[in-house]
Amino acid sequence: MKVFAHRGFSGKYPENTMLAFEKAVEVKADGIELDVHCTKDGKLVIIHDEKLERTSGKPGVVSDYTLSEITAIEANLTHPECHGTTIPSFDEYCSYIRDKEMVTNVEIKTNLYYYADIEGKLLQALKHWNIEDKVIISSFNWLSVARFKKLAPHITCGLLLERQHMIDVAVLAKEMGIEYYHPDIGIIDDEDVACCKKNGIGINCWTVNTSEQMKKLIAWDADGAIGNFPDMALKALSRA
Ligand code: G3P
Ligand code: CA
């Protein structure tokens, strides 16, 4: 099972910052999950919320800022003891990760705002940095996943699902040519796991923050655990 650091090592460091990504690499996570939006000038930037308030204390939404403006903003409010942790551009992340043996789960955040051609821009960046074979592209907005898959059938994708339980997601994923199901750990059950196995769909659950949840995933022989404490997950797998 792969251990993904959710928004980087966000349990101990400011989420979706280079520091959180570096710390995930340091503890030897297998992968990193991160969230992308587009700026006012149409560039990819790594941040979870549409609004800057929670992580930076700044007004407005991502698309109010240009890339140069937003990447100058500190994003440490989830861990104020850390300093110098600005909002990273997606290019900054790719330049750091490209020579590392890490899988990157890029979540396209188009569930509230749709950014024009964000899927095309993401594909262009992955090609530029030559990391097409080291990513999983996911979104709650399955239209974004379908659009990305159409542009790049060779790149691995996942369908994200939160809150409501839905039967046969694996059947839908298979029909769409999507490789993974990414459910909230609270909504997946034995029947869903069996359906995924039967249809050849991999399972990466989130947000896996306890050893009890890890036990559940181990019993299911899930493919990935996406959580805020990669050190805990690795320990549960006797890898740390
Ligand atoms: O990709 C898994 C997880 O990150 C989805 O939820 O809200 O943390 O982006 P959220
Ligand atoms: Ca996410």
Side-chain angles (χ1 to χ4, degrees):
M1 187 192 308
K2 283 192 166 57
V3 170
F4 289 85
H6 181 240
R7 309 180 195 175
F9 195 158
S10 62
K12 287 195 184 162
Y13 305 96
E15 66 178 52
N16 279 328
T17 62
M18 290 310 299
L19 177 64
F21 303 142
E22 287 158 13
K23 292 295 179 183
V25 169
E26 210 172 287
V27 296
K28 297 189 167 49
D30 303 293
I32 287 170
E33 188 269 357
L34 54 84
D35 307 285
V36 294
H37 292 255
C38 279
T39 58
K40 191 179 185 174
D41 46 349
K43 308 291 184 197
L44 295 173
V45 70
I46 304 176
I47 180 168
H48 181 272
D49 301 2
E50 288 72 21
K51 292 180 178 173
L52 274 67
E53 179 65 34
R54 182 178 61 85
T55 50
S56 292
K58 298 288 181 194
V61 295
V62 174
S63 57
D64 291 335
Y65 295 82
T66 63
L67 186 72
S68 64
E69 286 166 351
I70 205 165
T71 53
I73 293 173
E74 180 129 54
N76 68 344
L77 293 189
T78 59
H79 293 273
E81 68 281 8
C82 300
H83 297 284
T85 54
T86 48
I87 298 172
S89 69
F90 187 60
D91 280 335
E92 182 181 5
Y93 174 81
C94 292
S95 145
Y96 166 71
I97 212 70
R98 66 174 165 164
D99 60 352
K100 298 182 176 55
E101 287 304 309
M102 294 285 278
V103 181
T104 301
N105 174 201
V106 181
E107 182 190 341
I108 306 176
K109 277 285 182 205
T110 45
N111 34 323
L112 285 189
Y113 298 120
Y114 181 72
Y115 304 102
D117 194 33
I118 187 169
E119 301 85 6
K121 287 172 183 172
L122 177 58
L123 176 59
Q124 212 179 348
L126 301 177
K127 282 185 173 167
H128 175 80
W129 294 104
N130 195 24
I131 56 169
E132 290 157 272
D133 58 346
K134 297 201 296 186
V135 293
I136 302 174
I137 309 304
S138 64
S139 185
F140 287 109
N141 184 343
W142 294 358
L143 179 59
S144 268
V145 183
R147 281 182 173 163
F148 188 87
K149 197 63 178 173
K150 199 170 170 189
L151 290 174
H154 61 292
I155 297 184
T156 307
C157 292
L159 294 179
L160 269 165
L161 191 64
E162 184 179 28
R163 293 196 195 105
Q164 80 281 26
H165 178 261
M166 222 178 116
I167 55 162
D168 297 342
V169 176
V171 176
L172 175 66
K174 193 179 176 184
E175 288 266 337
M176 290 173 70
I178 303 299
E179 295 83 353
Y180 284 99
Y181 177 34
H182 287 203
D184 180 330
I185 188 152
I187 62 165
I188 184 167
D189 61 20
D190 292 349
E191 207 182 332
D192 300 321
V193 172
C195 187
C196 284
K197 303 267 180 210
K198 188 175 154 200
N199 287 282
I201 302 299
I203 302 167
N204 294 318
C205 282
W206 54 278
T207 307
V208 181
N209 283 341
T210 68
S211 49
E212 284 312 306
Q213 292 171 325
M214 281 301 294
K215 275 183 200 151
K216 215 168 161 180
L217 291 195
I218 292 166
W220 280 335
D221 190 26
D223 297 270
I226 305 171
N228 301 346
F229 299 93
D231 52 348
M232 176 285 297
L234 289 164
K235 205 170 163 195
L237 292 167
S238 306
R239 287 175 51 196

